[in-house]
Amino acid sequence: MPPGGSYGFFAVDPLGGRSAGARKATGTLLPVTDQDLDGLPLPTAKAIEIVTFVPAESIGPIQIGASYYLAATDPVAAKPYELLRQPLERSAKVAVAKFAMRDRERLGLLRVKDKAIILHALRWPDEIRAASQVPAPEVTVTEKEVDAALALAESLTGGDLGEMRDEYRAALEVIAAKAVGSRPEPTAGISRLRAPRSWT
C-alpha cells in the first residue's frame, strides 16, 4: 500500500485462506495478491493472528481506533469464519489479535455486530497516556452550576446518531466548488456552520 494512503480492509479471512484486499478512500478497489503477501516480513501480513480472548468490558474506549468489517470471500474461508463468529456472538468475551496494515503490525479487537465480524484497531499499551499525566483544572464549581450542567446534558439527550452529518466537511466542499466556478449541489441535512453549544 502506498505511503500516506487511506485504506480499509474489505475482506480478510481470520483463520486461514488468503483472500484479502484493500479499499482506498476514493472507493478504488486494490486487490492484494499472494505475491504481495509473500513479500511482507511479518506472519500477520498474511492473516489476522488471534492471540487471546478477554472480557469485553476490559477494553477501554481510549484504546479503540478505526473499525473495519471482516468477511470471508471464498468457500474455503467460510467455515473458519463461522467458527469464529458464532462463538464470539455467544460469548461475553472478545478476541484480541495482531494484524499488519500500512507497514506496521497492529493490535486489534474482534467482535460481532449484526452477524458480521468487526475488527477494531487497538492502540498498543505504550501508546496510551495515563490519565494521571493530564493536569486537572484548579477551579471550584458550585452544586448549582453542576445541576445546571446536568440539566443541559438532559436537554441534549435522545439525539439520533444516524442522522448526524459532517457539516464542516460539507461546507468546505461548497467553498471548494465555488473556487473552481461550479455550482455546488445542495446537501441534505446541511444548513450552516455552528459552534458547539457552550457549557457555561
Side-chain angles (χ1 to χ4, degrees):
M1 299 179 186
S6 178
Y7 298 88
F9 292 133
F10 77 90
V12 178
D13 171 16
L15 293 180
R18 305 182 57 139
S19 179
R23 188 179 298 277
K24 200 172 181 179
T26 59
T28 303
L29 191 63
L30 302 177
V32 178
T33 67
D34 286 354
Q35 290 74 23
D36 294 328
L37 296 174
D38 288 336
L40 297 175
L42 295 172
T44 48
K46 301 180 181 180
I48 292 177
E49 177 189 0
I50 296 175
V51 294
T52 189
F53 290 83
V54 299
E57 62 272 15
S58 68
I59 305 294
I62 197 171
Q63 295 176 264
I64 299 176
S67 301
Y68 308 90
Y69 283 110
L70 304 186
T73 57
D74 59 63
V76 174
K79 188 169 184 178
Y81 183 92
E82 277 300 295
L83 288 175
L84 176 62
R85 187 190 68 79
Q86 291 195 29
L88 283 176
E89 191 174 41
R90 300 179 190 182
S91 173
K93 295 182 179 180
V94 294
V96 175
K98 290 181 179 181
F99 65 102
M101 187 173 70
R102 298 174 189 162
D103 302 323
R104 286 186 57 191
E105 185 173 57
R106 297 177 181 269
L107 203 59
L109 176 154
L110 299 176
R111 69 182 184 92
V112 175
K113 178 177 173 57
D114 299 332
K115 305 298 182 180
I117 298 176
I118 298 178
L119 168 66
H120 299 283
L122 294 179
R123 295 177 178 86
W124 293 99
D126 61 0
E127 296 176 329
I128 300 173
R129 185 178 181 184
S132 60
Q133 296 178 323
V134 181
E138 296 182 3
V139 63
T140 301
V141 296
T142 66
E143 283 299 314
K144 184 177 180 180
E145 290 172 323
V146 174
D147 289 341
L150 287 170
L152 176 58
E154 186 63 28
S155 72
L156 295 174
T157 300
D160 185 354
L161 294 179
E163 295 181 356
M164 294 186 178
R165 301 291 182 269
D166 185 348
E167 297 188 15
Y168 185 79
R169 178 179 177 182
L172 292 179
E173 291 174 352
V174 170
I175 294 171
K178 288 182 177 179
V180 296
S182 63
R183 182 185 298 274
E185 294 292 329
T187 304
I190 302 301
S191 54
R192 58 183 175 86
L193 286 177
R194 59 180 180 271
R197 186 179 298 185
S198 172
W199 284 82
T200 59

